[in-house]
């Protein structure tokens, strides 16, 4: 019986990857405020608040009058088809006011240090544990209703990309190489609007910085070595190098098992085994896949590994037998697989 088995996400957690990271923090008090007549609401995250996967979100609201919201986020996206990873750091602000009252007097705005009206900022550091080439994409946009204001800017090194309300959004991509030292992006946004009488007013500002590493070119190779000795059936592994889009693969061939029997292909992150009745069983199992042997007691599996990654994994197979007294098993020898990009 032949099976094509891609390595699952659970197993990828055990692989040694070239890590890219983004860390962030608020560079000023990060807040906003809304006023309507004698009513007001203001909130802020303090300077140096860490921005992690949960993000930082601040909102101010007066029911029936207006709302202001600010958000700072970090997101990661893995494109398995293109074999790329994108990290995105983003800051956005939105404010809106609305009223049917001719006597209305309201306002909404962002706040910075000391809760003063004006711009606020965040700082993000993009880094990689090994030098990683890719593209840094900067997008800034801002808009506001008549009488309002908004700005968005990103500063990287001595270069600043900035727009204000009324100007076209800016989208720029530059080639960069991330290192352990990191690349710092300073992001600032602001917005304000006011409304007297009935009507509607708003502002919005967005600044986004993304890094996408160069796609893996495919290829890679695996080596297969013997692990623990088995107690019955034999497992053989043959590695094939990857090319182009595909990563490397390992063909597993089982022989000497009971015919038409149920088997389990077991994966272990470290290859360590326990002796159970003279048979080796992994002490830690990351994943298992069931199969059935053919009429000769054989089975063939092809393990497909992702390209551009270093992976270490061990495999072994267990053949189950069902009798009137219970379930017994025989275990093959184990194989240690090391794949490099």
């Amino acid at each position: 019986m032949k099976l094509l088995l891609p390595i699952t996400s659970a197993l990828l957690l055990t692989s040694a990857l070239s890590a890219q990271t983004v860390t962030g923090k608020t560079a000023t008090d990060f807040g906003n405020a809304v006023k309507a007549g004698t009513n007001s609401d203001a909130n802020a995250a303090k300077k140096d608040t860490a921005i992690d996967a949960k993000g930082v979100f601040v909102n101010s609201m007066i029911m029936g009058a207006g709302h202001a919201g600010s958000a700072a986020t970090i997101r990661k996206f893995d494109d398995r088809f293109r074999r790329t990873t994108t990290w995105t750091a983003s800051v956005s602000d939105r404010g809106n006011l609305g009223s049917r009252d001719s006597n209305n007097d309201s306002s909404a705005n962002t706040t910075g240090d000391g809760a003063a009206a004006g711009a606020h900022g965040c700082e993000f550091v993009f880094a990689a544990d090994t030098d990683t080439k890719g593209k840094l994409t900067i997008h800034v946009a801002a808009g506001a209703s008549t009488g309002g204001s908004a700005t968005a800017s990103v500063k990287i090194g001595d270069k600043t990309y900035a727009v204000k309300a009324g100007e076209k959004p800016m989208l720029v991509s530059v080639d960069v190489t991330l290192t352990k030292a990191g690349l710092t992006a300073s992001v600032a946004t602001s917005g304000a609007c006011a409304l007297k009488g009935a009507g509607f007013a708003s502002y919005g500002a967005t600044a986004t910085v993304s890094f996408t590493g160069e796609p893996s070119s495919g290829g890679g190779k695996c080596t297969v070595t013997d692990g623990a000795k088995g107690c019955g059936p034999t497992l053989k592994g043959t590695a094939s190098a990857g090319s182009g889009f595909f990563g490397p693969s390992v063909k597993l061939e089982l022989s000497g098992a009971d015919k038409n029997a149920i088997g389990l292909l077991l994966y272990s992150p470290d290859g360590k085994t326990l002796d159970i009745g003279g048979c080796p069983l992994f002490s830690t199992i990351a994943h298992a896949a069931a199969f059935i042997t053919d009429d000769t007691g054989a089975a063939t599996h092809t393990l497909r590994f992702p390209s551009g990654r270093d992976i270490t994994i061990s495999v072994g197979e267990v053949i189950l037998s069902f009798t009137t007294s219970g379930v017994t098993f025989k275990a093959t020898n184990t194989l240690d697989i090391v794949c490099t990009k």
Side-chain angles (χ1 to χ4, degrees):
M1 183 176 186
K2 295 183 179 180
L3 293 174
L4 175 64
L5 299 174
I7 299 303
T8 67
S9 59
L11 295 181
L12 291 180
L13 294 177
T14 69
S15 61
L17 308 181
S18 175
Q20 301 165 28
T21 60
V22 180
T23 56
K25 65 178 182 178
T26 56
T28 66
D29 291 339
F30 186 75
N32 45 63
V34 178
K35 294 181 180 180
T38 59
N39 297 319
S40 65
D41 187 33
N43 294 285
K46 292 186 178 297
K47 179 180 179 180
D48 294 328
T49 297
I51 303 169
D52 55 20
K54 295 180 180 179
V56 174
F57 300 90
V58 180
N59 291 280
S60 300
M61 178 182 293
I62 298 177
M63 293 295 295
H67 168 263
S70 302
T73 60
I74 292 174
R75 296 286 184 265
K76 178 186 178 184
F77 174 71
D78 291 313
D79 189 327
R80 298 192 180 280
F81 180 76
R82 293 184 174 85
R83 307 182 307 282
T84 60
T85 296
T86 299
W87 282 94
T88 300
S90 181
V91 178
S92 63
D93 289 289
R94 293 288 182 271
N96 59 78
L97 301 168
S99 178
R100 296 180 180 179
D101 186 354
S102 59
N103 296 316
N104 170 71
D105 184 359
S106 57
S107 64
N109 57 266
T110 57
T111 61
D113 282 331
H120 50 214
C122 298
E123 187 176 274
F124 301 94
V125 179
F126 293 76
D129 60 357
T130 58
D131 290 2
T132 304
K133 293 182 179 180
K135 283 195 176 294
L136 195 72
T137 301
I138 300 100
H139 177 254
V140 286
S145 57
T146 302
S149 63
T151 63
S153 69
V154 174
K155 182 179 181 181
I156 299 173
D158 58 359
K159 181 69 174 178
T160 299
Y161 308 87
V163 298
K164 60 184 179 180
E167 297 178 344
K168 292 182 178 180
M170 183 183 299
L171 179 65
V172 179
S173 290
V174 294
D175 294 323
V176 299
T177 298
L178 292 190
T179 66
K180 287 183 178 179
L183 182 152
T184 300
S186 298
V187 177
T189 54
S190 71
C193 63
L195 179 64
K196 291 185 179 296
F200 179 81
S202 65
Y203 69 81
T206 301
T208 301
V209 185
S210 298
F211 174 80
T212 302
E214 289 184 349
S216 167
S217 59
K221 62 180 181 179
C222 297
T223 58
V224 182
T225 56
D226 290 330
K229 184 179 180 180
C231 64
T234 300
L235 186 63
K236 176 184 175 182
T238 304
S240 297
S243 61
F245 176 81
F246 298 102
S249 63
V250 172
K251 181 180 180 181
L252 299 179
E253 296 175 280
L254 171 71
S255 61
D258 293 339
K259 63 179 183 180
N260 302 317
I262 296 175
L264 293 175
L265 170 58
L266 305 177
Y267 300 83
S268 169
D270 56 21
K272 295 179 180 179
T273 61
L274 300 173
D275 187 303
I276 307 295
C279 294
L281 285 182
F282 290 128
S283 57
T284 302
I285 297 175
H287 184 64
F291 64 93
I292 299 176
T293 62
D294 63 18
D295 290 338
T296 67
T300 301
H301 316 291
T302 299
L303 308 184
R304 183 74 71 185
F305 293 85
S307 59
R309 302 192 178 197
D310 295 336
I311 295 175
T312 299
I313 200 75
S314 295
V315 297
E317 295 187 343
V318 172
I319 308 303
L320 305 177
S321 297
F322 297 88
T323 67
T324 55
S325 59
V327 180
T328 61
F329 71 91
K330 292 290 184 180
T332 69
N333 56 293
T334 64
L335 299 174
D336 299 325
I337 301 172
V338 177
C339 299
T340 58
K341 57 187 177 182

